Amino acid sequence: MASVKPSVPRGTRDFSPAEMAKRNYIFDTIKTVFRKYGYQQIETPAMENLSTLMGKYGDEGDKLIFKILDSGEFLEKTSIFKNLEEKLLKSISGTITNRNTINNEFDKIQGKETEKGDIIKDQAILEQQALDLIKNYFNTKSLVPEISEKALRYDLTVPFARYVVMHQNEITFPFKRFQVQPVWRADRPQKGRYREFYQCDADVVGSDSLLNEAEFVLIYDEALSNLGLQDFSIKINNRKILSGIAEIIDKTDNIIDLTVAIDKLDKIGLDGVVKELLEKGFTDADIDKLKPVILLEGTNEEKLKSLRTALKHSEIGLKGCDEIEIIFAYLKNLHETRATIELDITLARGLNYYTGAIFEVKTNEVAMGSIGGGGRYDDLTGMFGLKGITGAGISFGADRIYDVLEELKLFPETAIQTTQVLICCFDKEGESYALPFLQELRGRDISAELYPAGAKMKKQLDYANNKNIPYTIVIGSDEMESGLLTFKDMQTGEQQKLSTEMIVAMLAE
């Protein structure tokens, strides 16, 4: 068997013990804040039924869903291939009228003896006709549901909505849950963008209070501040405002085209947005009305005042302004945030299910895409047959947050420290002496290791340094005789003779 060069798929990564320690530091910090606000943890399967996911993320999002190929002899059972066979029989050649003849002619092409049959005058034409027909079938969307019934989850929100519908008789509303699991997207890998990545989500369903949205802002602010970020922005918009903008230019049927385009303003600029809108059927007059709205400047209060003027003939647009104003009022009454809170009318987030407030979080200290986002989705569970359940949620982009903390060197030393003390000994006698003390340390919740006897002391101390273990205890014949063990601080190099009781007291501080 030929050797295979080890590799991982593009957009995926292995994580070393040091990296996992840092990732867990992020997860644990965020989870602590989630629990502080009353959220409980759940998990859902890595794969969902394809029908659960499709149609929830818009056309662009649906293309990025990783479909899972059905196992077994699905080709023989799939109707599309039976149809393909019939098409081949009818279209390849007028002289080939049944399956036996086709088999005979293909055998002839392969150089095998065949029964007498009609002669194919031009084998190249036959092959090209078959190839074109097969390509046509494989390029159609109709193939996907025939060979795939499952997919890897694209996000955590839609599976959560499915969970709520399935377990509606078991949960208490309002239901506040958080979830920390990987998701997969068939995206082009680049800095800060992966095909497999973790999301940290918090969602609440069964409550239409805008206090939930205000608390999401506080959750972002507290969690990111606890991770050490100093300068970051939480952008807020409302899908009703976007609907109102579409309404005043009489383009309500094109709201998805509108939101997808203006969401790209910071990436492609105003000229790029205008070009995309014109290509989607918007007129110059429409764009003249849009420009003053999407280019709003000033404080949040000034932007809201201008929006109310622009949307005075749109009931839904004014309702969106009201909701934004209520969220700002809640925040004013809660506490001052470190984050910059910004009303951003260009924030559209191209997902189909947001119906109210929309959030996006960006750091201003590092060139990086959004590190969080979310919004309200009043009718998401309705897609699964449960009407009238409103919901809202946010997500932390843990992988991007990792890159930000790494670049800013914000991971504390304790985040990558797994073992607190290493016991080193010279021989089996020392090992036997150390074992009871090792268990005593662990019994006091002090993470400790005993290096197996027989290795040179330099190797044992190098092991401690390489694992960033801050302390070592050396046990030799003198230590066993006196009962005072050599306790060394690996950072300062300072060492002293201490009793086991004193060592435990120092490590337990």
Side-chain angles (χ1 to χ4, degrees):
M1 180 176 170
S3 62
V4 178
K5 183 180 179 181
S7 65
V8 297
R10 289 186 63 220
T12 66
R13 298 152 295 165
D14 290 322
F15 297 111
S16 68
E19 289 170 324
M20 280 307 304
K22 292 177 180 178
R23 289 170 64 82
N24 286 330
Y25 166 72
I26 294 173
F27 296 146
D28 292 343
T29 300
I30 296 172
K31 286 178 181 180
T32 298
V33 177
F34 284 161
R35 292 189 179 101
K36 186 175 179 179
Y37 283 77
Y39 288 79
Q40 298 174 297
Q41 187 170 12
I42 69 165
E43 288 194 350
T44 58
M47 65 178 129
E48 294 277 348
N49 290 324
L50 186 59
S51 58
T52 297
L53 304 180
M54 293 294 287
K56 312 302 189 302
Y57 309 103
D59 290 340
E60 292 187 12
D62 284 352
K63 293 175 184 175
L64 301 181
I65 295 174
F66 271 110
K67 285 81 174 176
I68 299 174
L69 193 66
D70 289 344
S71 59
E73 298 297 327
F74 61 86
L75 294 184
E76 295 180 2
K77 303 173 185 177
T78 302
S79 61
I80 194 168
F81 287 95
K82 294 178 182 177
N83 295 337
L84 176 59
E85 181 183 52
E86 293 173 4
K87 288 275 188 180
L88 283 169
L89 284 169
K90 292 178 181 178
S91 66
I92 289 177
S93 171
T95 59
I96 301 178
T97 57
N98 58 65
R99 184 170 184 165
N100 289 334
T101 306
I102 291 179
N103 289 338
N104 289 340
E105 298 305 329
F106 277 131
D107 286 345
K108 192 179 295 180
I109 293 170
Q110 296 170 6
K112 300 176 182 177
E113 291 186 8
T114 64
E115 298 176 3
K116 290 183 179 180
D118 297 323
I119 304 299
I120 299 175
K121 295 180 180 179
D122 191 339
Q123 294 177 0
I125 292 176
L126 169 67
E127 293 171 358
Q128 189 60 49
Q129 285 178 328
L131 183 62
D132 290 344
L133 192 58
I134 291 171
K135 280 184 176 179
N136 179 59
Y137 265 76
F138 275 87
N139 284 333
T140 61
K141 290 183 179 179
S142 58
L143 180 62
V144 173
E146 294 282 352
I147 63 174
S148 176
E149 296 176 350
K150 297 175 287 294
L152 296 178
R153 59 171 171 256
Y154 178 91
D155 72 351
L156 299 180
T157 304
V158 171
F160 171 56
R162 188 266 310 152
Y163 176 93
V164 170
V165 174
M166 290 184 65
H167 299 273
Q168 57 186 289
N169 296 323
E170 306 161 23
I171 59 181
T172 301
F173 293 99
F175 181 50
K176 301 170 86 171
R177 87 81 169 87
F178 75 86
Q179 197 170 345
V180 180
Q181 287 186 274
V183 299
W184 294 266
R185 296 182 186 179
D187 217 338
R188 175 182 293 180
Q190 53 184 281
K191 182 181 179 181
R193 180 173 292 176
Y194 307 99
R195 288 177 172 170
E196 179 188 54
F197 57 96
Y198 271 73
Q199 284 187 337
C200 303
D201 280 18
D203 288 79
V204 55
V205 292
S207 170
D208 60 4
S209 172
L210 294 171
L211 175 61
N212 297 307
E213 279 86 337
E215 288 198 336
F216 286 149
V217 173
L218 299 183
I219 288 172
Y220 272 133
D221 187 67
E222 185 170 344
L224 295 176
S225 296
N226 290 350
L227 288 170
L229 295 187
Q230 301 290 324
D231 185 8
F232 55 97
S233 299
I234 303 174
K235 298 185 177 184
I236 304 177
N237 196 9
N238 193 294
R239 204 60 181 252
K240 294 181 179 70
I241 292 176
L242 296 171
S243 297
I245 294 171
E247 189 174 57
I248 64 174
I249 62 172
D250 197 26
K251 284 289 190 296
T252 53
D253 292 338
N254 302 88
I255 185 171
I256 298 299
D257 292 333
L258 173 65
T259 57
V260 167
I262 67 174
D263 195 40
K264 300 175 183 175
L265 182 66
D266 60 342
K267 298 176 183 175
I268 62 177
L270 181 60
D271 291 341
V273 171
V274 169
K275 180 182 177 183
E276 184 167 326
L277 289 173
L278 289 173
E279 291 172 352
K280 296 293 185 179
F282 289 76
T283 65
D284 290 327
D286 295 334
I287 291 168
D288 288 339
K289 293 179 183 178
L290 285 173
K291 282 182 181 179
V293 178
I294 64 177
L295 296 178
L296 281 179
E297 294 182 348
T299 65
N300 292 331
E301 291 76 14
E302 290 168 343
K303 289 178 181 178
L304 270 174
K305 185 177 179 181
S306 298
L307 272 175
R308 287 188 180 280
T309 301
L311 300 174
K312 60 185 177 183
H313 297 302
S314 171
E315 182 179 349
I316 191 171
L318 291 174
K319 183 172 175 56
C321 293
D322 291 341
E323 292 181 2
I324 291 290
E325 202 159 21
I326 292 171
I327 294 171
F328 286 157
Y330 272 126
L331 291 172
K332 187 176 181 180
N333 288 329
L334 288 164
H335 70 79
E336 187 175 343
T337 60
R338 170 171 287 172
T340 300
I341 312 299
E342 178 187 353
L343 173 59
D344 184 355
I345 302 306
T346 67
L347 174 59
R349 298 187 69 83
L351 304 180
N352 279 350
Y353 50 71
Y354 291 133
T355 56
I358 312 168
F359 300 97
E360 185 171 84
V361 185
K362 289 191 174 183
T363 173
N364 302 315
E365 300 174 81
V366 172
M368 180 70 69
S370 65
I371 57 175
R376 179 163 289 276
Y377 43 87
D378 282 341
D379 58 356
L380 189 63
T381 55
M383 298 179 183
F384 301 111
L386 182 60
K387 302 291 185 180
I389 300 293
T390 181
I394 56 171
S395 178
F396 287 81
D399 293 275
R400 288 187 177 181
I401 291 173
Y402 181 101
D403 291 344
V404 170
L405 298 189
E406 193 73 86
E407 189 167 336
L408 296 175
K409 296 180 171 54
L410 291 177
F411 284 109
E413 285 295 323
T414 53
I416 57 176
Q417 194 180 94
T418 54
T419 301
Q420 197 172 351
V421 62
L422 174 70
I423 301 177
C424 308
C425 51
F426 293 93
D427 50 33
K428 284 291 184 181
E429 185 180 359
E431 184 179 81
S432 298
Y433 183 93
L435 284 173
F437 184 44
L438 174 67
Q439 287 307 98
E440 181 183 353
L441 290 169
R442 290 170 176 168
R444 299 290 187 92
D445 289 329
I446 297 169
S447 56
E449 290 184 57
L450 170 62
Y451 201 97
K456 292 182 178 179
M457 187 56 59
K458 182 180 183 304
K459 184 175 182 180
Q460 298 185 51
L461 297 177
D462 285 344
Y463 176 83
N465 281 323
N466 291 335
K467 287 193 67 176
N468 293 309
I469 299 175
Y471 302 105
T472 58
I473 299 169
V474 176
I475 299 177
S477 57
D478 291 344
E479 284 80 7
M480 287 186 285
E481 184 177 342
S482 67
L484 298 177
L485 311 184
T486 302
F487 184 76
K488 181 175 182 179
D489 185 321
M490 295 300 289
Q491 287 188 324
T492 65
E494 180 184 354
Q495 62 182 45
Q496 49 190 319
K497 297 279 189 176
L498 299 173
S499 66
T500 56
E501 291 81 5
M502 294 178 67
I503 292 173
V504 169
M506 288 185 65
L507 293 174
E509 289 180 353

